[in-house]
Structures are given as structure tokens and as C-alpha cells.
Amino acid sequence: MSFCVNFPLFLIVLSLLFSVISSVLHKKAARVLSLVLSGLSAAANFVLFLYVMKSGENVTYLMGHFPHPWGNELRIGLLEALFSAAFSLILFLTLLGGKAPLLTRVEERKGQFYYCMCDLIQASLLSLVYTNDLFTGYVFIEICTIASCGILMIRENGKTILASVRYMIFSLIGSGLFLLGVILLYDITGHLLMPNLKESVREIAACGSYRLPLLASMSLIIIGLSVKSGLCPFHLWMADTYGAAIPTSSGILSGLISKGYIFLLIKIIFDVFGTEVFYASGVHNVLYALGALGIIAGSVAAMRENNILRMSAYSSAAQIGYIYMGLGLSPVLGMEASLFHILVHAFTKPPLFLAAGLLSDSMGGAKKFRNLQGAGYVNPAAGAAFSFEAFSMIGLPLTMGFISKYLFGIAAFESTHHKMIPTLLVLAVSTVLNTLYFARTILRIYNREISPNHGEKVTVRSEKLYLLSALAFVLLNLFFGTAAKPFIDILAEGIAHF
Amino acid sequence: MLSILWNNRIQVVAVVLFAVGLTTLLLHKNLLKKIIGLNIMDTASYLFLTSLGFIEGRLSPIVSGGNTDPALYVNPLPAGLVLTGIVVSVSVTAVILALSMRLYRRYRTLNLDEIYRMVHREQEEED
């Protein structure tokens, strides 16, 4: 066994350590530490990904060398390594480019705490992705909740504090339900480690006993995680939260944290309940319906919004809907589309929020569309980045968004009859709505009549780091959008090995 | 029916407590009462978990008198989970109480509806 299987544990411990150290450092040192951590994590996880791909099998990492059913485990598979690498890279790029919004909105003496929270988020994302133990999952869900509340409330005004309270209440209901589901499952199986759970769940389902508790625990876990990631009826907190937060935080919250929860949910579906039990229970139909509803509801709400950050927030609700719709569609192709869409949204939303924040800053902090007129000329880099990411959200060819819509289309054709037409219809309607509200925004920011509240013209030289991060996001997007085939094969192989 | 309820009385109490907590959390306007509801909800799940981990007639899982037969002792894992859970809920409560303090200092009330109205008014003045 190679040395690199130790990387996940090292990185988790290192992130926790760094977050403690950061809290007493100067803001600049803390920022460097966070950037080093997320960059290191991206590189290490990529090495691990190459290792797993070469060896072709999953590694179970025993912590303290206690074998199951006693010990605590991490499981390192193809998808885990890939998603950790992607999440770390996105966190790195978001922090790299997201310095400017922090300078104006966070008090000087509190700067280091922001990076302390980011390190905690890094630790909890890695743990949520790698863990093989449900209770460890619960603990890191809570750590993630506290850290995300931290990056939300660090900007002290009435709106953000209220948004944090609301976010906290929704999150805590979600994790309470998740915990209850885990307890019920522990009650009927006596296990917390995923491989043991899967075995027991299969036996229980086969002999037909405890049908109701099993269904109840499955529903509780799924409802808990979908409340936290903002599936349709629970998406209402999103606009307040993402709209009020610092754009850097909005990007991390919508692009990474909700994805961490969804990845854990997918892992639970595969490794705890097993796809057979899950797709026989009928819960997937509910997820499918709510996902489809979320796409339409989110897009319509985004259409009606006239604040650029809140519009992006509602568009997140629609994108989360896509992911859940794919989960409910079919176990292989639908899942593949969902996993790809997790990456699409994670690679697209953070730069979109960053660009929206910078556009708003260049117009004297205006967020309403009528005051953003011509912002694309005042800050050309942010305008171009916003337009490109908007194209990816709409799903124009050559971008990642196109590939995921294509995958959803394929999955729809391969699925059962009564889901094919609604899926295609939802895809078509949402693409039209997406195009409408993003086109409206782009036309506004490139209007020749610049609204009078604009600030000084932002030169390219003054924002080198932002430019670097935006360019990296664009290039990665184009890379995955054009060379998608090998990548989709990797996802399919990962699902087969889950 | 009654005997089933009586035999599972601890679980029944836990479910009732959970429901009380959840309704308090969802329906009350006062932020402090919401937080209390949240804590009742958490406590209910810990009660549920503890009651599942206890088997009548067995000893607490501390080896005494050189007796290492596991059939004599209860499983220590649920108790360990409850302890972890309590730590989590304490820290979460601390964060949300800190948030409430900030809200109170700003708006001099803990009624969420009133706070919402005031924030909305601030927002309109800004625009």
C-alpha cells in the first residue's frame, strides 16, 4: 500500500490545526496559510486520484488500525479523491480571487477569523467526502454548519445577522433530522460503518422485517441533507443568505458546502442503503419531483428578482434541483449526470458570485439592475467573467454546463417512460428561463449608457489575483467542457466501484 | 395498544419531546424560545439513543472484578455517541446565542417578525 493513502487523514488534521493557528495570526499570514492548505490539499488529492485510478480499487483506511465493526474508517475511492481535489481547487481559486470583497466588508481586526473558518470548511468538506462512518459524517456536518455560519456573519450588519440566524435554524433542523435517521438506522442494524450497514440493510430488506423503520430512517436522512443543501421547498433561505453574504462567502456556501452535503447523500445512497433498496423504496420519485419543481421555482424566482446577488442565489436553487432530479432519474446515467452537475455548479457559481460582487462594487455598491447599467465597462474583467460563467449556467456548447444538460438529456431518454417527457420538458423550460434572466443581466451590464453612480474605471493591473483566478476558472470550464469524454468515463467507473 | 406504549414508554416520551421541540422551533417568534425548542429537540434524540443503548440487568461498561465477559455489560457506544452529540449541540447553541445577542444589541428585541420588519425598512432606506 502506498504512502499516499495517508493523505486524507493528514490533510484533515492539518486543516484543523491550521484553523487553530490562524485565529492568532495576522490576517495576511492567515490568508497565506489558507491558500497553502487548499492548494496542498488539491495537489495531494489529485495524486491520490491518480494512484486510485492506477490501482483500480478502493482503499479503506483504518484509523488506529481497528478493523470493522469497531474502528473508524475513511474510504478512498475514485470519486472521493476526484471530488476532494476539485473542491479544494475551487476553494483555493475562490480565496485567491476573493480578496477584494473581503477588504471592504470585514473589519480589520477580524480578517484572520475568516480564514480560520475557511480552514474548518476545508477540513469538514474532506471529511464529508472521505468518511465511511455515519456518525463522523454527522459531527462534520455540524462543524461545517458552524464554519459556514461564521463566514456568513463576519460581515456585521442587520441583514447578514438575520440571514445567519435563519440559515442556522434551517441547518439545525436539517442536522437534527439527519441525526434522528442515523439513530433509527443504528437501532435496527447495530452498525455505524457504511460497509456493515449496507450488509445489514440488505438482509433486513430481503427478509422484509423492519420495513417501516428502514423507510423512516432513509427519509429522515434524505430530508435532513436536502434541507441543508436547499432542495425546493427548503430553498427559501438561500436568497437571503447568499444575497446578504460577502460574495466570496456566497460562492463558497453555494458552490462547495451544499455540494459536500449532496456528495455525502450520494455516498449514503450507494454505500448504506444500496441502489437496489433505494430505488425500490420510491423515495427517489419524491426527490425527482422536488428536484424538477425546484428547477422551475428557482428559475421563476430568479426571473422576478432585480438584485444581482439574489438572482444568482435563486439560480443556485435551480441548479440544486437539477442534481436532485438526476438522483431520482436513474441509478447509473442519472447519477452520472448529477455528479457531473455537482462539478459544473461548483466550478461555475463561485466565480459568478465573485464577478457579481465586483461589478456591484465598481458601481458604488449598487445591486439593483437599474444601477448596474454599464458595469461591464467600468470593470471589464469582472464583466467578462460574469458573462462567461452565465453562458456556462445557460449551457452553451464548449462550456461544462452544456455537457451536463446533454447528460441529463441522455439519462432522460434511457429512463422509464413517464419520466422521459417531464425531464425533457423541464430541461427545455429551464434553459429558456436561464437564458432570459442571464441575458437580461448581461445586456444591462453592457449597456452604453453607464448609470451615474459608477466608481472609477477598474484597470486590469489593479486586480491581478482576481484576474488569475477568473482565468483559471474559465480555462478549467472550457477544458472540462471540451474534453469531457474521458472525464465522464471516470465518473462512470467511479459509480461502478462505489 | 396501551401495553405497547407502556413497554416503549421512554421512546414515546422521546418522540413527544421531539415534537414539542420542533413545534417550538418552528412556531415561536421569540428567538430565545426557538433556541430552547432546538435544545429540547436535541435532548429528545439523545434520550432516544440512550434508551436504546441500555439493557436492563446489565452492568455499566467498566470492567470490575476481572470479569471480561461482554454479555455482562451494556454496549458503551451509544453513550459515547450521546456525549459527542451533547458537545455538538452545546457548541451550536453557543453560536446561535451569540448571534441572538448581536441581534438584540442592534434592534433591542428578540421578536423575529419585528426584527425582520426593521431590517426590511433599513434595506429600503439604503436603496
Side-chain angles (χ1 to χ4, degrees):
Chain A
M1 200 179 281
S2 145
F3 177 72
C4 61
V5 297
N6 293 307
F7 285 168
L9 181 64
F10 286 174
L11 287 169
I12 293 168
V13 174
L14 199 68
S15 322
L16 292 173
L17 189 71
F18 274 20
S19 83
V20 176
I21 298 174
S22 292
S23 59
V24 292
L25 287 180
H26 186 260
K27 168 171 102 165
K28 278 184 183 148
R31 176 178 159 84
V32 172
L33 218 54
S34 273
L35 284 174
V36 167
L37 177 70
S38 47
L40 192 73
S41 164
N45 280 307
F46 188 68
V47 171
L48 196 57
F49 167 69
L50 293 178
Y51 167 77
V52 178
M53 196 153 82
K54 210 172 131 202
S55 73
E57 53 191 37
N58 296 335
V59 182
T60 307
Y61 185 80
L62 305 180
M63 294 210 272
H65 298 285
F66 293 108
H68 68 90
W70 293 289
N72 197 340
E73 293 174 356
L74 299 177
R75 203 199 55 185
I76 304 157
L78 205 56
L79 289 180
E80 279 98 341
L82 176 70
F83 276 77
S84 308
F87 288 163
S88 308
L89 181 65
I90 293 162
L91 188 61
F92 174 77
L93 290 175
T94 312
L95 288 178
L96 189 73
K99 191 179 172 189
L102 292 182
L103 285 178
T104 48
R105 293 178 176 89
V106 178
E107 275 180 59
E108 181 69 27
R109 65 190 170 86
K110 282 188 185 163
Q112 73 273 30
F113 294 124
Y114 191 84
Y115 296 107
C116 167
M117 293 297 149
C118 288
D119 296 346
L120 273 184
I121 285 172
Q122 172 81 60
S124 40
L125 277 178
L126 286 176
S127 317
L128 286 180
V129 171
Y130 277 118
T131 187
N132 216 6
D133 180 284
L134 272 187
F135 205 78
T136 312
Y138 165 72
V139 172
F140 278 96
I141 285 177
E142 294 286 29
I143 294 179
C144 201
T145 306
I146 294 177
S148 34
C149 191
I151 61 170
L152 184 61
M153 70 194 221
I154 200 149
R155 176 188 192 185
E156 249 189 271
N157 62 25
K159 212 170 54 163
T160 35
I161 303 175
L162 190 63
S164 317
V165 168
R166 188 177 278 190
Y167 177 78
M168 208 64 187
I169 288 173
F170 268 104
S171 289
L172 292 177
I173 292 175
S175 39
L177 294 176
F178 179 81
L179 177 66
L180 208 59
V182 172
I183 292 173
L184 262 183
L185 202 60
Y186 179 66
D187 180 25
I188 54 178
T189 61
H191 291 293
L192 285 170
L193 279 177
M194 293 188 186
N196 301 89
L197 275 170
K198 191 175 181 182
E199 218 169 279
S200 316
V201 166
R202 196 185 296 139
E203 281 167 19
I204 289 171
C207 70
S209 56
Y210 294 120
R211 187 162 288 163
L212 196 63
L214 187 64
L215 187 66
S217 104
M218 191 190 299
S219 320
L220 282 169
I221 289 178
I222 291 172
I223 295 171
L225 286 173
S226 44
V227 170
K228 291 180 79 83
S229 50
L231 180 63
C232 174
F234 317 115
H235 69 286
L236 293 168
W237 55 265
M238 274 177 145
D240 283 336
T241 310
Y242 301 163
I246 303 167
T248 320
S249 311
S250 313
I252 295 174
L253 286 169
S254 79
L256 294 174
I257 289 172
S258 52
K259 303 302 168 314
Y261 299 140
I262 296 177
F263 191 88
L264 181 68
L265 178 62
I266 292 179
K267 199 166 163 165
I268 288 174
I269 289 173
F270 273 101
D271 280 357
V272 175
F273 298 112
T275 41
E276 286 153 29
V277 178
F278 176 70
Y279 285 99
S281 68
V283 176
H284 67 290
N285 290 326
V286 180
L287 285 185
Y288 172 82
L290 289 179
L293 196 67
I295 297 174
I296 303 297
S299 303
V300 169
M303 284 280 297
R304 293 159 50 98
E305 202 48 71
N306 59 2
N307 172 326
I308 189 168
L309 288 172
R310 290 176 65 93
M311 183 200 82
S312 309
Y314 276 124
S315 133
S316 285
Q319 306 299 323
I320 300 280
Y322 274 109
I323 298 169
Y324 279 100
M325 186 177 80
L327 286 187
L329 205 53
S330 61
V332 180
L333 287 173
M335 201 59 93
E336 212 175 283
S338 283
L339 283 169
F340 196 85
H341 201 76
I342 290 181
L343 289 176
V344 172
H345 192 226
F347 272 108
T348 314
K349 230 356 137 11
L352 191 79
F353 268 117
L354 282 184
L358 285 176
L359 286 176
S360 144
D361 280 355
S362 67
M363 302 304 280
K367 293 188 189 84
K368 293 269 157 68
F369 285 130
R370 63 185 138 83
N371 299 330
L372 279 170
Q373 204 146 298
Y377 296 111
V378 185
N379 191 341
F386 186 89
S387 313
F388 179 82
E389 303 302 343
F391 291 155
S392 175
M393 284 272 114
I394 295 168
L396 289 193
L398 295 184
T399 63
M400 281 175 97
F402 173 73
I403 304 290
S404 84
K405 287 209 169 133
Y406 167 77
L407 288 175
F408 277 114
I410 298 276
F413 277 115
E414 298 284 324
S415 70
T416 49
H417 250 316
H418 56 274
K419 275 188 190 158
M420 183 176 95
I421 304 292
T423 312
L424 293 175
L425 214 62
V426 165
L427 277 177
V429 171
S430 91
T431 308
V432 171
L433 290 175
N434 268 337
T435 315
L436 281 176
Y437 63 74
F438 276 121
R440 178 186 64 167
T441 319
I442 293 173
L443 288 178
R444 273 283 189 187
I445 63 174
Y446 283 112
N447 195 317
R448 279 281 169 204
E449 288 168 27
I450 301 175
S451 82
N453 54 324
H454 68 88
E456 267 178 56
K457 189 170 181 328
V458 181
T459 53
V460 170
R461 198 168 296 165
S462 62
E463 288 185 329
K464 271 187 205 142
L465 286 180
Y466 171 70
L467 209 63
L468 198 68
S469 115
L471 202 65
F473 271 120
V474 169
L475 289 178
L476 281 167
N477 200 319
L478 285 174
F479 173 73
F480 289 127
T482 45
K485 180 76 180 112
F487 197 64
I488 296 167
D489 293 342
I490 289 172
L491 286 184
E493 204 188 317
I495 291 174
H497 278 97
F498 225 139
Chain B
M1 180 66 197
L2 270 178
S3 70
I4 296 177
L5 286 182
W6 178 248
N7 288 337
N8 297 311
R9 55 193 178 276
I10 302 182
Q11 282 85 343
V12 171
V13 170
V15 169
V16 171
L17 273 180
F18 193 88
V20 168
L22 192 65
T23 34
T24 315
L25 178 61
L26 290 178
L27 298 182
H28 266 284
K29 291 188 175 73
N30 186 309
L31 198 52
L32 269 186
K33 288 189 181 161
K34 269 186 192 295
I35 298 172
I36 292 171
L38 182 81
N39 272 296
I40 294 176
M41 202 174 96
D42 278 348
T43 314
S45 24
Y46 303 143
L47 177 65
F48 193 67
L49 188 51
T50 329
S51 71
L52 294 174
F54 182 69
I55 304 171
E56 230 167 311
R58 292 204 188 176
L59 301 170
S60 58
I62 303 165
V63 177
S64 58
N67 237 332
T68 49
D69 179 16
L72 280 175
Y73 304 105
V74 294
N75 186 354
L77 195 62
L81 297 182
V82 170
L83 280 179
T84 319
I86 289 174
V87 173
V88 168
S89 75
V90 165
S91 38
V92 169
T93 311
V95 173
I96 196 161
L97 280 174
L99 276 173
S100 331
M101 255 170 70
R102 276 195 188 176
L103 271 184
Y104 186 76
R105 275 196 199 136
R106 233 187 148 84
Y107 298 108
R108 292 284 145 198
T109 170
L110 280 171
N111 185 321
L112 271 180
D113 282 358
E114 276 177 35
I115 295 175
Y116 189 77
R117 223 172 294 136
M118 280 190 255
V119 171
H120 203 70
R121 210 176 303 141
E122 270 181 19
Q123 191 61 33
E124 274 171 2
E125 278 165 18
E126 243 177 65
D127 289 338

